[in-house]
Amino acid sequence: MGTARIMAWLSADSRATAPGWFEAAYRRVRSWLGRRATLTDAALAAVMAAWTVPQLVYHATHADPRFAEYVLFSALLVAPLALRRRYPAATFTFAVVVALVQWVSDVDLAAAASLLIYLYTVASRYPMRATVLATGVAEVGALLAAIRWPQGLEWTETFVLLSGLVLAAVLLGVNVRRRRQALGALTERAEQLERERDQQAVIAAADERTRIAREMHDVVAHSLSVMVTLSEAAAVKQAAEPERAATAMRQVSTTGRQALDEMRRLLGVLRTQDAPRSRQPQPGIAQIDALLDQVRSTGLAADLTVTGTPVPISPGAELTVYRIVQEALTNTLKHADQPSRVSVAIAHRPDAVTVDVRDDGVSRPEAGTAGHGLTGMRERAAVYGGTVNAGPHPAGGWRIRADLPTRTAAAVHGQAR
């Protein structure tokens, strides 16, 4: 019974449900012991040494001539317990050899109970094949001990008793090993999930940076292009037509304020505490007219044509249409050579929305290159399964055409909801 209690204390896995404070204290103690395995095993060796003291005292007081053998074999069986977790197989093998010599010498020791601890350690550390082999060796030892030292019982009864102790040690060790493996698998899975979560966070952050970069580019590039064009026109007209120059500069101021508002709204997305309180809707197809008014204020003629019956699409798809038109108009102001007119055509069809922006500029310096603006337009359209094509128009000037499938736009909106 004493050996069984010691083994149960070592396993620490057969405890019943305990109150929360007891469970927490148990975990702290077990963690402390786990970090000091050698010290714990040395303490166990001391406990087992104390277990042998009564037997040694008995033989000493009776002047047993074999007292020295009792002390020697007891020390050889108990001392390696301090290293049992560091060298499970080696200490078990050494203890078996010592026990065999002890049996041959006909020295019946209380310290032989330590063999059960060595067996438990092997079962808790090694796979089933090694455990079966160690169990077989222990069973042979139990048979030999039962035959030589039946302890006042029939040798068969003693063998059954010892076999029960061997089986208990093995089952306890196997149970500990399996629970350790299950805990290791859970820990590994948790670490894998944590790594995947971190990777997803990095991907999401990269996507968000790309989205914000597109928004910033669209807002800043368009507004600055309008402001530069108006400022140049005001500088030219300042002497001859001061009133028109003043009107142009007021438009510059208005456009700048609008750009600042857009910038604050975008930057507010990055803040959690001091985000702007206003909750204005994102611009969409209905706001394209206001976008063209800004272009007209630069002196460039701009017209909008809408055909077909509008099909309901998501706010995100409408924002995509708006940003594509905005970027196309910005390209006209920045890159077109002497344009006089820009036209925007939006065609609604049952299965798609087509955006066609044309200008009559003589040439386009960026022809054949793909700047951030065109890349941003294509990225926006690709979210909804759309395409963007840009290039010279056969009749002259530059043309940007975007097609957005309405079914895909609606599906993306449904998934977002």
Side-chain angles (χ1 to χ4, degrees):
M1 291 298 293
T3 303
R5 288 178 181 175
I6 292 172
M7 292 170 58
W9 174 76
L10 283 172
S11 70
D13 284 308
S14 58
R15 65 189 185 281
T17 303
W21 65 267
F22 183 82
E23 178 74 13
Y26 165 81
R27 290 184 181 276
R28 285 195 296 270
V29 171
R30 185 177 182 182
S31 177
W32 186 88
L33 293 177
R35 294 193 300 269
R36 297 164 177 82
T38 303
L39 179 61
T40 304
D41 290 341
L44 175 62
V47 170
M48 288 303 300
W51 172 273
T52 66
V53 168
Q55 184 187 42
L56 298 178
V57 170
Y58 173 82
H59 288 283
T61 56
H62 287 74
D64 190 334
R66 306 186 68 183
F67 174 72
E69 294 182 47
Y70 278 92
V71 174
L72 176 62
F73 283 121
S74 297
L76 291 176
L77 286 173
V78 170
L81 286 174
L83 302 174
R84 68 180 184 90
R85 276 190 279 188
R86 184 174 296 181
Y87 308 106
T91 53
F92 175 77
T93 303
F94 179 80
V96 167
V97 172
V98 172
L100 179 60
V101 176
Q102 166 211 343
W103 182 84
V104 172
S105 302
D106 194 16
V107 179
D108 185 11
L109 295 175
S114 61
L115 284 168
L116 297 175
I117 301 178
Y118 293 117
L119 179 60
Y120 157 81
T121 306
V122 170
S124 66
R125 299 279 172 164
Y126 290 97
M128 190 56 66
R129 182 179 300 177
T131 300
V132 170
L133 178 61
T135 303
V137 172
E139 280 294 300
V140 172
L143 178 61
L144 294 177
I147 293 174
R148 172 155 286 184
W149 305 302
Q151 304 297 333
L153 302 172
E154 292 292 333
W155 74 268
T156 53
E157 296 175 342
T158 303
F159 175 66
V160 170
L161 177 61
L162 294 178
S163 296
L165 294 176
V166 169
L167 182 61
V170 171
L171 292 178
L172 197 57
V174 170
N175 181 52
V176 170
R177 175 169 54 83
R178 288 182 176 175
R179 293 190 63 172
R180 187 186 296 120
Q181 290 174 344
L183 180 59
L186 289 175
T187 302
E188 182 179 358
R189 177 59 177 164
E191 292 174 351
Q192 180 182 357
L193 290 175
E194 186 175 356
R195 289 193 297 269
E196 292 177 356
R197 182 198 65 189
D198 293 341
Q199 292 172 356
Q200 291 296 328
V202 171
I203 294 173
D207 290 342
E208 187 65 12
R209 284 196 298 269
T210 302
R211 186 190 69 80
I212 293 175
R214 284 199 302 263
E215 292 286 332
M216 296 280 285
H217 175 273
D218 292 344
V219 171
V220 173
H222 174 76
S223 299
L224 287 181
S225 297
V226 172
M227 293 167 67
V228 168
T229 304
L230 288 172
S231 299
E232 291 174 346
V236 173
K237 299 292 185 181
Q238 183 177 7
E241 301 178 64
E243 188 62 31
R244 291 189 61 183
T247 301
M249 293 308 298
R250 284 193 292 272
Q251 184 63 37
V252 169
S253 176
T254 300
T255 303
R257 288 192 179 92
Q258 291 174 350
L260 284 175
D261 289 340
E262 284 287 309
M263 290 285 289
R264 291 191 186 98
R265 182 183 63 80
L266 290 175
L267 294 176
V269 174
L270 304 178
R271 301 187 178 95
T272 57
Q273 296 181 350
D274 52 351
R277 295 183 179 180
S278 61
R279 294 293 184 267
Q280 298 178 353
Q282 294 274 26
I285 297 176
Q287 284 71 42
I288 292 179
D289 261 329
L291 199 59
L292 293 176
D293 286 339
Q294 292 182 344
V295 175
R296 295 186 188 104
S297 66
T298 66
L300 182 65
D303 58 77
L304 172 65
T305 304
V306 180
T307 59
T309 302
V311 177
I313 58 176
S314 69
E318 289 215 15
L319 176 63
T320 296
V321 172
Y322 179 90
R323 293 303 189 200
I324 289 175
V325 173
Q326 185 182 47
E327 180 59 28
L329 296 175
T330 300
N331 285 345
T332 296
L333 294 174
K334 288 172 60 178
H335 303 296
D337 186 11
Q338 299 178 355
S340 61
R341 175 175 294 277
V342 60
S343 61
V344 178
I346 299 177
H348 293 280
R349 303 195 306 274
D351 59 343
V353 176
T354 299
V355 180
D356 201 325
V357 182
R358 303 182 189 179
D359 63 57
D360 58 358
V362 176
S363 64
R364 184 61 59 92
E366 85 285 4
T369 65
H372 293 295
L374 184 57
T375 300
M377 283 190 280
R378 285 173 174 160
E379 289 176 349
R380 288 181 181 277
V383 172
Y384 299 95
T387 58
V388 174
N389 297 299
H393 192 267
W398 191 262
R399 176 188 185 186
I400 293 178
R401 177 188 174 96
D403 292 283
L404 269 71
T406 54
R407 292 181 180 177
T408 306
V412 172
H413 179 50
Q415 292 174 2
R417 296 180 61 185

